[in-house]
Amino acid sequence: MEPENQTEVSEFFLLGLSEKPEHQPLLFGMFLSTYLVTVFGNLLIILAIITDSRLHTPMYFFLFNLSLVDIFLSSTTVPKMLVNILTQSRAISFTGCLTQMYAFHLFGTMDSFLLAVMAVDRFTAIVHPLRYSTLMSPRVCGLLLGAPWVITNLQSLIHTCLMARLTFCAGSEISHFFCDLMPLLKLSCSDTHTNELVILTLGILMGLSPLFCILLSYTCIFRAVHGIPSSQGKWKAFSTCGSHLTVVSLFYGTIFAVYLQPTSPTSSQKDKAAALMCGVVIPMLNPFIYSLRNKDMKAALRKLIGKVASYRS
């Protein structure tokens, strides 16, 4: 039974990455720069794909959506963190906290599903090149994009509804730079067994199903490429997968560190570092990875920048 003098918490306080005042200007400058690079870089990718008709293909359609999701993912946490540092206020309302949690898991999980869809696209292009335009028709691309949006929204809704039914009266300080599932559960004085079970179940399903799809796609790709007689043909086939494989390695190297590592007294700082990589650093790196390793994208970006320069002059 709860003591009578306990009161339900209506707002939380995000402790952030550091509570030391001397670190705040450095953190503000670092995250402002990172956020601006993320938004600007991904917007360039989006505009290049829109304005260049040569990039109106399924591969770049999915890259367009990945860049859009990366902007949303970074915008879920960084602006609030910058406002908190600037105003020296760490408060976030209960509703705002649940909204941030919903958005982070929506866009974070959508990132992984988009990577899986892009792997399927590469599998179709390399293993079934003659049937590619038929297999990856606009209707199929719409289904491959629409289904993950439904699934990820449903997952985030389940987490949010289960969290909303809890009572928080064990404190209001969240040892994180945004509202996440496990730090919030630690503050609840309700029974969190159902929440923990759902987090584990959905974490495994949402984490492993896209990864399994990616691994299966690349297994088939490697087998198909192995059968190509010329080394030049093999290199040409693999060259279209290099950027995607780089992003997959970065993404899954951090996402599992956040949600699938065992709880320990020292796991809080590891969770912050991994969430920082997943939600802030990787969305910033994606435009560089895809633009620097892709000739068509580099050409489209040069064309876009040339148009902007000529318009301004």
Side-chain angles (χ1 to χ4, degrees):
M1 183 179 295
E2 299 175 8
E4 293 181 2
N5 62 350
Q6 284 186 329
T7 57
E8 189 172 345
V9 173
S10 60
E11 67 176 6
F12 300 98
F13 295 91
L14 299 169
L15 298 184
L17 297 174
S18 174
E19 297 183 62
K20 296 181 179 180
E22 61 269 24
H23 292 169
Q24 302 311 307
L26 177 62
L27 288 174
F28 182 83
M30 182 175 66
F31 284 107
L32 178 60
S33 302
T34 301
Y35 183 65
L36 291 176
V37 170
T38 300
V39 174
F40 183 71
N42 282 288
L43 277 178
L44 275 180
I45 296 292
I46 291 170
L47 290 173
I49 293 172
I50 291 175
T51 57
D52 195 325
S53 59
R54 294 173 301 176
L55 302 185
H56 293 175
T57 63
M59 181 176 75
Y60 293 106
F61 170 71
F62 296 128
L63 178 57
F64 171 95
N65 283 275
L66 181 66
S67 294
L68 198 62
V69 168
D70 281 341
I71 291 175
F72 291 147
L73 178 60
S74 184
S75 298
T76 299
T77 58
V78 178
K80 178 59 179 175
M81 184 163 44
L82 293 174
V83 169
N84 286 356
I85 294 174
L86 193 63
T87 61
Q88 298 183 347
S89 171
R90 302 175 184 271
I92 183 171
S93 66
F94 180 72
T95 302
C97 194
L98 291 185
T99 302
Q100 190 179 56
M101 185 190 75
Y102 182 99
F104 183 83
H105 285 274
L106 168 63
F107 299 124
T109 310
M110 190 62 195
D111 245 7
S112 65
F113 273 92
L114 277 171
L115 291 176
V117 169
M118 293 171 80
V120 172
D121 173 73
R122 290 299 84 207
F123 156 77
T124 309
I126 294 173
V127 180
H128 303 288
L130 299 179
R131 300 174 58 199
Y132 178 72
S133 58
T134 303
L135 294 174
M136 298 301 293
S137 65
R139 181 174 178 273
V140 171
C141 290
L143 289 173
L144 288 174
L145 182 65
W149 275 116
V150 173
I151 294 171
T152 53
N153 269 286
L154 183 60
Q155 174 210 225
S156 295
L157 185 62
I158 291 172
H159 284 317
T160 304
C161 290
L162 288 175
M163 191 68 70
R165 72 182 181 85
L166 300 180
T167 302
F168 296 88
C169 49
S172 59
E173 293 184 344
I174 300 176
S175 181
H176 217 310
F177 63 93
F178 73 100
C179 291
D180 203 3
L181 289 168
M182 295 312 296
L184 269 175
L185 286 185
K186 293 177 182 178
L187 300 181
S188 175
C189 52
S190 305
D191 181 11
T192 61
H193 178 74
T194 301
N195 296 69
E196 292 170 358
L197 182 62
V198 170
I199 289 171
L200 178 62
T201 303
L202 289 180
I204 293 174
L205 287 174
M206 296 296 179
L208 293 185
S209 54
L211 181 60
F212 176 77
C213 182
I214 291 170
L215 292 175
L216 182 61
S217 297
Y218 274 105
T219 299
C220 296
I221 288 172
F222 290 147
R223 288 179 178 176
V225 172
H226 182 70
I228 298 176
S230 67
S231 57
Q232 185 178 0
K234 291 180 179 180
W235 171 251
K236 184 178 180 181
F238 273 129
S239 64
T240 64
C241 303
S243 299
H244 182 259
L245 280 172
T246 303
V247 174
V248 166
S249 301
L250 283 171
F251 186 86
Y252 277 99
T254 55
I255 195 78
F256 288 126
V258 179
Y259 300 111
L260 297 184
Q261 66 176 339
T263 304
S264 68
T266 60
S267 64
S268 177
Q269 294 302 319
K270 294 179 181 179
D271 288 352
K272 290 181 184 180
L276 194 64
M277 278 290 297
C278 177
V280 179
V281 177
I282 293 178
M284 179 189 68
L285 294 178
N286 281 351
F288 295 100
I289 294 171
Y290 279 102
S291 61
L292 294 177
R293 296 179 60 93
N294 189 301
K295 292 182 179 179
D296 293 334
M297 181 56 67
K298 284 191 287 188
L301 288 172
R302 283 195 296 267
K303 183 179 177 181
L304 176 63
I305 294 171
K307 285 183 178 179
V308 173
S310 61
Y311 176 78
R312 292 185 64 181
S313 61

